[in-house]
mmCIF file of all heavy atoms in Angstrom:
data_model
loop_
_atom_site.group_PDB
_atom_site.id
_atom_site.type_symbol
_atom_site.label_atom_id
_atom_site.label_comp_id
_atom_site.label_asym_id
_atom_site.label_seq_id
_atom_site.Cartn_x
_atom_site.Cartn_y
_atom_site.Cartn_z
ATOM 1 N N PHE A 623 -10.082 0.185 -11.456
ATOM 2 C CA PHE A 623 -11.097 0.653 -12.463
ATOM 3 C C PHE A 623 -12.205 1.390 -11.637
ATOM 4 O O PHE A 623 -12.867 0.666 -10.853
ATOM 5 C CB PHE A 623 -11.632 -0.472 -13.298
ATOM 6 C CG PHE A 623 -12.663 -0.111 -14.220
ATOM 7 C CD1 PHE A 623 -12.794 1.179 -14.855
ATOM 8 C CD2 PHE A 623 -13.672 -1.073 -14.569
ATOM 9 C CE1 PHE A 623 -13.900 1.428 -15.799
ATOM 10 C CE2 PHE A 623 -14.651 -0.791 -15.509
ATOM 11 C CZ PHE A 623 -14.753 0.403 -16.099
ATOM 12 N N LEU A 624 -12.350 2.683 -11.832
ATOM 13 C CA LEU A 624 -13.428 3.341 -11.171
ATOM 14 C C LEU A 624 -14.543 3.696 -12.252
ATOM 15 O O LEU A 624 -14.201 4.393 -13.188
ATOM 16 C CB LEU A 624 -12.963 4.713 -10.567
ATOM 17 C CG LEU A 624 -11.863 4.555 -9.509
ATOM 18 C CD1 LEU A 624 -11.558 5.936 -8.914
ATOM 19 C CD2 LEU A 624 -12.381 3.665 -8.313
ATOM 20 N N ALA A 625 -15.714 3.066 -12.040
ATOM 21 C CA ALA A 625 -16.819 3.267 -12.972
ATOM 22 C C ALA A 625 -17.885 4.006 -12.215
ATOM 23 O O ALA A 625 -18.728 3.373 -11.491
ATOM 24 C CB ALA A 625 -17.276 1.994 -13.539
ATOM 25 N N PHE A 626 -17.992 5.299 -12.340
ATOM 26 C CA PHE A 626 -18.966 6.219 -11.687
ATOM 27 C C PHE A 626 -19.828 6.722 -12.861
ATOM 28 O O PHE A 626 -19.367 6.748 -13.974
ATOM 29 C CB PHE A 626 -18.379 7.307 -10.887
ATOM 30 C CG PHE A 626 -17.633 6.873 -9.705
ATOM 31 C CD1 PHE A 626 -16.574 7.695 -9.282
ATOM 32 C CD2 PHE A 626 -17.894 5.727 -9.015
ATOM 33 C CE1 PHE A 626 -15.807 7.363 -8.154
ATOM 34 C CE2 PHE A 626 -17.168 5.375 -7.903
ATOM 35 C CZ PHE A 626 -16.133 6.172 -7.491
ATOM 36 N N GLU A 627 -21.003 7.151 -12.496
ATOM 37 C CA GLU A 627 -21.873 7.782 -13.520
ATOM 38 C C GLU A 627 -21.268 8.929 -14.143
ATOM 39 O O GLU A 627 -20.357 9.625 -13.526
ATOM 40 C CB GLU A 627 -23.209 8.172 -12.951
ATOM 41 C CG GLU A 627 -24.089 7.033 -12.509
ATOM 42 C CD GLU A 627 -25.412 7.322 -11.946
ATOM 43 O OE1 GLU A 627 -25.966 8.471 -12.295
ATOM 44 O OE2 GLU A 627 -25.923 6.671 -11.093
ATOM 45 N N GLN A 628 -21.691 9.262 -15.351
ATOM 46 C CA GLN A 628 -21.125 10.442 -16.088
ATOM 47 C C GLN A 628 -21.357 11.690 -15.231
ATOM 48 O O GLN A 628 -22.431 11.842 -14.454
ATOM 49 C CB GLN A 628 -21.804 10.678 -17.426
ATOM 50 C CG GLN A 628 -21.380 9.587 -18.390
ATOM 51 C CD GLN A 628 -22.069 9.747 -19.722
ATOM 52 O OE1 GLN A 628 -22.857 10.583 -19.948
ATOM 53 N NE2 GLN A 628 -21.647 8.942 -20.652
ATOM 54 N N GLU A 726 -12.088 7.547 -19.801
ATOM 55 C CA GLU A 726 -13.041 7.012 -20.856
ATOM 56 C C GLU A 726 -12.493 5.664 -21.290
ATOM 57 O O GLU A 726 -12.444 5.440 -22.547
ATOM 58 C CB GLU A 726 -13.295 8.018 -21.952
ATOM 59 C CG GLU A 726 -13.709 9.427 -21.511
ATOM 60 C CD GLU A 726 -15.018 9.477 -20.746
ATOM 61 O OE1 GLU A 726 -15.739 8.433 -20.667
ATOM 62 O OE2 GLU A 726 -15.304 10.492 -20.136
ATOM 63 N N VAL A 727 -12.141 4.790 -20.363
ATOM 64 C CA VAL A 727 -11.545 3.522 -20.739
ATOM 65 C C VAL A 727 -12.466 2.626 -21.532
ATOM 66 O O VAL A 727 -11.934 1.648 -22.160
ATOM 67 C CB VAL A 727 -11.014 2.775 -19.396
ATOM 68 C CG1 VAL A 727 -12.188 2.296 -18.566
ATOM 69 C CG2 VAL A 727 -9.994 1.777 -19.785
ATOM 70 N N HIS A 728 -13.682 2.833 -21.549
ATOM 71 C CA HIS A 728 -14.598 2.052 -22.370
ATOM 72 C C HIS A 728 -14.221 2.190 -23.798
ATOM 73 O O HIS A 728 -14.612 1.291 -24.621
ATOM 74 C CB HIS A 728 -16.019 2.498 -22.193
ATOM 75 C CG HIS A 728 -16.307 3.959 -22.455
ATOM 76 N ND1 HIS A 728 -16.112 4.952 -21.546
ATOM 77 C CD2 HIS A 728 -16.648 4.556 -23.587
ATOM 78 C CE1 HIS A 728 -16.350 6.133 -22.075
ATOM 79 N NE2 HIS A 728 -16.633 5.918 -23.307
ATOM 80 N N ARG A 729 -13.434 3.197 -24.192
ATOM 81 C CA ARG A 729 -12.966 3.360 -25.607
ATOM 82 C C ARG A 729 -12.075 2.136 -25.986
ATOM 83 O O ARG A 729 -11.871 1.903 -27.167
ATOM 84 C CB ARG A 729 -12.074 4.630 -25.618
ATOM 85 C CG ARG A 729 -11.374 4.879 -26.892
ATOM 86 C CD ARG A 729 -12.290 5.359 -27.981
ATOM 87 N NE ARG A 729 -11.622 5.344 -29.246
ATOM 88 C CZ ARG A 729 -10.959 6.365 -29.809
ATOM 89 N NH1 ARG A 729 -10.854 7.486 -29.122
ATOM 90 N NH2 ARG A 729 -10.397 6.267 -30.950
ATOM 91 N N LEU A 730 -11.500 1.372 -24.991
ATOM 92 C CA LEU A 730 -10.652 0.295 -25.359
ATOM 93 C C LEU A 730 -11.418 -0.820 -26.110
ATOM 94 O O LEU A 730 -10.836 -1.567 -26.856
ATOM 95 C CB LEU A 730 -10.006 -0.370 -24.179
ATOM 96 C CG LEU A 730 -9.073 0.616 -23.360
ATOM 97 C CD1 LEU A 730 -8.516 -0.165 -22.140
ATOM 98 C CD2 LEU A 730 -7.941 1.159 -24.222
ATOM 99 N N LYS A 731 -12.686 -0.911 -25.887
ATOM 100 C CA LYS A 731 -13.593 -1.904 -26.510
ATOM 101 C C LYS A 731 -13.093 -3.334 -26.403
ATOM 102 O O LYS A 731 -12.685 -3.677 -25.392
ATOM 103 C CB LYS A 731 -13.827 -1.462 -28.039
ATOM 104 C CG LYS A 731 -14.564 -0.161 -28.206
ATOM 105 C CD LYS A 731 -15.976 -0.324 -27.840
ATOM 106 C CE LYS A 731 -16.701 1.012 -28.069
ATOM 107 N NZ LYS A 731 -18.031 1.033 -27.572
ATOM 108 N N GLY A 732 -13.151 -4.039 -27.465
ATOM 109 C CA GLY A 732 -12.771 -5.419 -27.447
ATOM 110 C C GLY A 732 -11.260 -5.706 -27.266
ATOM 111 O O GLY A 732 -10.424 -4.808 -27.513
ATOM 112 N N ALA A 752 -8.068 3.209 -14.344
ATOM 113 C CA ALA A 752 -8.954 3.332 -15.466
ATOM 114 C C ALA A 752 -10.246 3.999 -14.979
ATOM 115 O O ALA A 752 -10.739 3.728 -13.852
ATOM 116 C CB ALA A 752 -9.309 1.877 -15.996
ATOM 117 N N LEU A 753 -10.790 4.922 -15.792
ATOM 118 C CA LEU A 753 -12.020 5.705 -15.423
ATOM 119 C C LEU A 753 -13.022 5.562 -16.530
ATOM 120 O O LEU A 753 -12.688 5.656 -17.744
ATOM 121 C CB LEU A 753 -11.632 7.198 -15.179
ATOM 122 C CG LEU A 753 -10.572 7.485 -14.239
ATOM 123 C CD1 LEU A 753 -10.207 9.009 -14.385
ATOM 124 C CD2 LEU A 753 -10.976 7.184 -12.847
ATOM 125 N N SER A 754 -14.297 5.404 -16.151
ATOM 126 C CA SER A 754 -15.347 5.509 -17.185
ATOM 127 C C SER A 754 -16.683 5.802 -16.483
ATOM 128 O O SER A 754 -16.944 5.434 -15.351
ATOM 129 C CB SER A 754 -15.541 4.094 -17.846
ATOM 130 O OG SER A 754 -16.496 4.169 -18.811
ATOM 131 N N GLY A 755 -17.482 6.546 -17.229
ATOM 132 C CA GLY A 755 -18.800 6.885 -16.781
ATOM 133 C C GLY A 755 -19.821 6.331 -17.751
ATOM 134 O O GLY A 755 -21.033 6.611 -17.589
ATOM 135 N N THR A 756 -19.383 5.712 -18.712
ATOM 136 C CA THR A 756 -20.241 5.091 -19.791
ATOM 137 C C THR A 756 -20.511 3.649 -19.471
ATOM 138 O O THR A 756 -19.549 2.911 -19.348
ATOM 139 C CB THR A 756 -19.573 5.302 -21.145
ATOM 140 O OG1 THR A 756 -19.352 6.706 -21.338
ATOM 141 C CG2 THR A 756 -20.492 4.724 -22.266
ATOM 142 N N PRO A 757 -21.721 3.264 -19.438
ATOM 143 C CA PRO A 757 -22.009 1.828 -19.135
ATOM 144 C C PRO A 757 -21.443 0.952 -20.226
ATOM 145 O O PRO A 757 -21.359 1.296 -21.435
ATOM 146 C CB PRO A 757 -23.551 1.766 -19.232
ATOM 147 C CG PRO A 757 -24.063 3.145 -19.115
ATOM 148 C CD PRO A 757 -22.885 4.041 -19.617
ATOM 149 N N LEU A 758 -20.946 -0.186 -19.827
ATOM 150 C CA LEU A 758 -20.344 -1.170 -20.708
ATOM 151 C C LEU A 758 -21.483 -1.913 -21.388
ATOM 152 O O LEU A 758 -22.471 -2.264 -20.791
ATOM 153 C CB LEU A 758 -19.339 -2.049 -20.050
ATOM 154 C CG LEU A 758 -18.156 -1.357 -19.379
ATOM 155 C CD1 LEU A 758 -17.374 -2.280 -18.593
ATOM 156 C CD2 LEU A 758 -17.326 -0.652 -20.386
ATOM 157 N N ASP A 759 -21.277 -2.396 -22.623
ATOM 158 C CA ASP A 759 -22.208 -3.194 -23.264
ATOM 159 C C ASP A 759 -22.220 -4.554 -22.619
ATOM 160 O O ASP A 759 -21.431 -4.847 -21.732
ATOM 161 C CB ASP A 759 -21.888 -3.414 -24.793
ATOM 162 C CG ASP A 759 -21.933 -2.082 -25.506
ATOM 163 O OD1 ASP A 759 -22.683 -1.230 -25.136
ATOM 164 O OD2 ASP A 759 -21.181 -1.912 -26.524
ATOM 165 N N ASP A 760 -23.082 -5.436 -23.047
ATOM 166 C CA ASP A 760 -23.135 -6.783 -22.519
ATOM 167 C C ASP A 760 -21.993 -7.611 -23.022
ATOM 168 O O ASP A 760 -21.906 -8.789 -22.572
ATOM 169 C CB ASP A 760 -24.510 -7.455 -22.981
ATOM 170 C CG ASP A 760 -25.645 -6.813 -22.209
ATOM 171 O OD1 ASP A 760 -25.467 -6.267 -21.084
ATOM 172 O OD2 ASP A 760 -26.797 -6.824 -22.757
ATOM 173 N N ASP A 761 -21.120 -7.073 -23.842
ATOM 174 C CA ASP A 761 -19.981 -7.801 -24.387
ATOM 175 C C ASP A 761 -18.934 -7.991 -23.373
ATOM 176 O O ASP A 761 -18.230 -7.002 -22.981
ATOM 177 C CB ASP A 761 -19.556 -7.158 -25.643
ATOM 178 C CG ASP A 761 -18.424 -7.902 -26.346
ATOM 179 O OD1 ASP A 761 -18.053 -8.958 -25.837
ATOM 180 O OD2 ASP A 761 -17.940 -7.310 -27.345
ATOM 181 N N PRO A 762 -18.624 -9.176 -22.845
ATOM 182 C CA PRO A 762 -17.559 -9.350 -21.827
ATOM 183 C C PRO A 762 -16.150 -9.029 -22.331
ATOM 184 O O PRO A 762 -15.277 -8.786 -21.541
ATOM 185 C CB PRO A 762 -17.634 -10.891 -21.438
ATOM 186 C CG PRO A 762 -18.678 -11.451 -22.318
ATOM 187 C CD PRO A 762 -19.327 -10.369 -23.190
ATOM 188 N N SER A 763 -15.976 -8.967 -23.674
ATOM 189 C CA SER A 763 -14.600 -8.635 -24.185
ATOM 190 C C SER A 763 -14.300 -7.246 -23.841
ATOM 191 O O SER A 763 -13.083 -6.848 -23.687
ATOM 192 C CB SER A 763 -14.552 -8.838 -25.627
ATOM 193 O OG SER A 763 -15.280 -7.855 -26.397
ATOM 194 N N GLN A 764 -15.278 -6.335 -23.526
ATOM 195 C CA GLN A 764 -14.960 -5.016 -23.063
ATOM 196 C C GLN A 764 -14.189 -5.073 -21.669
ATOM 197 O O GLN A 764 -13.332 -4.272 -21.495
ATOM 198 C CB GLN A 764 -16.157 -4.135 -22.967
ATOM 199 C CG GLN A 764 -16.638 -3.616 -24.322
ATOM 200 C CD GLN A 764 -17.609 -2.574 -24.193
ATOM 201 O OE1 GLN A 764 -18.536 -2.644 -23.338
ATOM 202 N NE2 GLN A 764 -17.600 -1.505 -25.003
ATOM 203 N N MET A 765 -14.734 -5.835 -20.790
ATOM 204 C CA MET A 765 -14.060 -5.989 -19.499
ATOM 205 C C MET A 765 -12.666 -6.557 -19.666
ATOM 206 O O MET A 765 -11.758 -6.255 -18.953
ATOM 207 C CB MET A 765 -14.894 -6.788 -18.512
ATOM 208 C CG MET A 765 -16.033 -5.979 -17.889
ATOM 209 S SD MET A 765 -15.510 -4.415 -17.200
ATOM 210 C CE MET A 765 -14.506 -4.984 -15.811
ATOM 211 N N TRP A 766 -12.592 -7.517 -20.619
ATOM 212 C CA TRP A 766 -11.247 -8.153 -20.809
ATOM 213 C C TRP A 766 -10.264 -7.049 -21.148
ATOM 214 O O TRP A 766 -9.123 -7.026 -20.635
ATOM 215 C CB TRP A 766 -11.372 -9.171 -21.912
ATOM 216 C CG TRP A 766 -10.069 -9.771 -22.343
ATOM 217 C CD1 TRP A 766 -9.106 -9.228 -23.145
ATOM 218 C CD2 TRP A 766 -9.521 -11.033 -21.946
ATOM 219 N NE1 TRP A 766 -8.054 -10.068 -23.293
ATOM 220 C CE2 TRP A 766 -8.229 -11.268 -22.560
ATOM 221 C CE3 TRP A 766 -9.983 -12.081 -21.141
ATOM 222 C CZ2 TRP A 766 -7.497 -12.348 -22.382
ATOM 223 C CZ3 TRP A 766 -9.242 -13.139 -21.017
ATOM 224 C CH2 TRP A 766 -7.970 -13.374 -21.516
ATOM 225 N N ALA A 767 -10.634 -6.149 -22.046
ATOM 226 C CA ALA A 767 -9.656 -5.154 -22.597
ATOM 227 C C ALA A 767 -9.267 -4.249 -21.413
ATOM 228 O O ALA A 767 -8.108 -3.798 -21.305
ATOM 229 C CB ALA A 767 -10.361 -4.368 -23.702
ATOM 230 N N ILE A 768 -10.191 -3.899 -20.579
ATOM 231 C CA ILE A 768 -9.979 -3.002 -19.397
ATOM 232 C C ILE A 768 -9.123 -3.767 -18.402
ATOM 233 O O ILE A 768 -8.109 -3.200 -17.924
ATOM 234 C CB ILE A 768 -11.266 -2.564 -18.751
ATOM 235 C CG1 ILE A 768 -11.965 -1.560 -19.785
ATOM 236 C CG2 ILE A 768 -11.005 -1.785 -17.476
ATOM 237 C CD1 ILE A 768 -13.389 -1.271 -19.393
ATOM 238 N N LEU A 769 -9.414 -5.010 -18.069
ATOM 239 C CA LEU A 769 -8.636 -5.651 -17.061
ATOM 240 C C LEU A 769 -7.189 -5.985 -17.520
ATOM 241 O O LEU A 769 -6.325 -6.116 -16.762
ATOM 242 C CB LEU A 769 -9.332 -7.060 -16.691
ATOM 243 C CG LEU A 769 -10.571 -6.832 -15.800
ATOM 244 C CD1 LEU A 769 -11.263 -8.216 -15.594
ATOM 245 C CD2 LEU A 769 -10.171 -6.324 -14.420
#
Side-chain angles (χ1 to χ4, degrees):
F623 175 31
L624 299 182
F626 295 150
E627 291 182 29
Q628 291 181 354
E726 307 298 348
V727 74
H728 57 274
R729 171 77 190 272
L730 298 183
K731 296 287 181 189
L753 305 170
S754 183
T756 301
L758 300 174
D759 296 334
D760 291 332
D761 183 2
S763 71
Q764 280 192 320
M765 280 307 296
W766 175 281
I768 294 167
L769 285 173

